[in-house]
Amino acid sequence: HWGSLDAAYAKCADGTAQTPINIVKTKKADLKNLAFSYTTGEAGVFNNGHTVEAEPLTAPANTSKVAIDGVDYTFLQFHFHAPSEHEINGLHYPVEVHFVNKAADGSLAVVGVFIKRGAENEAWKPFIDNMLKATADPEATKAELDWSAMLPKNPTTMRYSGSLTTPPCSEGVHWNIFTTPITMSDAQINTFLEAYSGNARPIQP
């Protein structure tokens, strides 16, 4: 019902390239892998009312970037949705994390990472340990994060042009979804679900 709540949210109702989607078939293409230069540093962990986010706080971390098709995007934050917003052949993962990046011209590139149950993930431990105590203030809860270590090792991605998955549902967002999920233990995934469950937008046409 977002589109009927505010004129600024019109795209949520009548957009033609909305996210998330059910990915059934991909076309093979000779794409250059995303080139991450995410810098380890202090992060602010905060609860914005519909997910828990982490954003770089210290100066070195603010130089974190990812290069996609020759364009540099500065890393802004990551947040999660449970279950995953995207589907693969009609199936959800328990959690999907979105790494949001912004180019100098204001365009956005979101990197999607699926999470599946498996071995404990050491790189994600500092964030997970702070998730349930996070408040609305990014300065109140801090963690040292190695952002690059939180990504899948297999660099292959699926790409399409879509939208934000929350109002105003703006289109022209460059989506880059890792084909290989990362694993987390049951306890780690359950912490995500304890923080928020059901905060995923339904699949769009």
Side-chain angles (χ1 to χ4, degrees):
H1 302 287
W2 288 333
S4 62
L5 294 177
D6 190 313
Y9 302 168
K11 275 274 186 278
C12 301
D14 60 22
T16 57
Q18 290 290 294
T19 299
I21 56 173
N22 174 27
I23 300 171
V24 179
K25 192 188 293 185
T26 58
K27 185 174 74 174
K28 286 192 176 177
D30 187 18
L31 303 171
K32 283 187 77 171
N33 291 328
L34 276 57
F36 291 92
S37 51
Y38 282 1
T39 313
T40 302
E42 191 174 50
V45 179
F46 64 101
N47 189 322
N48 68 7
H50 55 86
T51 187
V52 180
E53 294 191 19
E55 65 179 19
L57 288 181
T58 51
N62 288 339
T63 64
S64 288
K65 287 182 170 51
V66 58
I68 306 171
D69 295 332
V71 178
D72 280 343
Y73 295 83
T74 299
F75 174 53
L76 300 180
Q77 48 97 346
F78 73 65
H79 60 271
F80 78 91
H81 299 271
S84 67
E85 293 204 297
H86 288 93
E87 291 179 359
I88 304 295
N89 294 316
L91 298 176
H92 286 281
Y93 282 91
V95 182
E96 179 178 348
V97 181
H98 292 159
F99 287 75
V100 182
N101 309 268
K102 190 175 188 177
D105 66 0
S107 60
L108 295 174
V110 183
V111 177
V113 177
F114 294 123
I115 298 173
K116 70 175 184 178
R117 296 182 187 276
E120 185 176 74
N121 195 313
E122 192 65 30
W124 278 86
K125 201 169 180 306
F127 174 73
I128 293 169
D129 288 348
N130 284 285
M131 246 194 329
L132 298 181
K133 65 177 89 159
T135 66
D137 179 8
E139 295 284 343
T141 308
K142 299 176 182 178
E144 186 79 9
L145 297 181
D146 182 349
W147 311 94
S148 292
M150 302 167 94
L151 300 167
K153 292 195 168 38
N154 180 352
T156 310
T157 53
M158 301 172 283
R159 305 182 197 178
Y160 76 98
S161 180
S163 74
L164 299 178
T165 66
T166 53
C169 306
S170 311
E171 295 185 346
V173 176
H174 305 285
W175 278 93
N176 309 264
I177 303 163
F178 276 99
T179 57
T180 305
I182 57 173
T183 61
M184 289 189 190
S185 66
D186 281 344
Q188 288 182 310
I189 287 176
N190 290 342
T191 304
F192 279 88
L193 303 183
E194 191 177 341
Y196 282 101
S197 184
N199 66 341
R201 187 186 190 193
I203 292 296
Q204 302 298 300

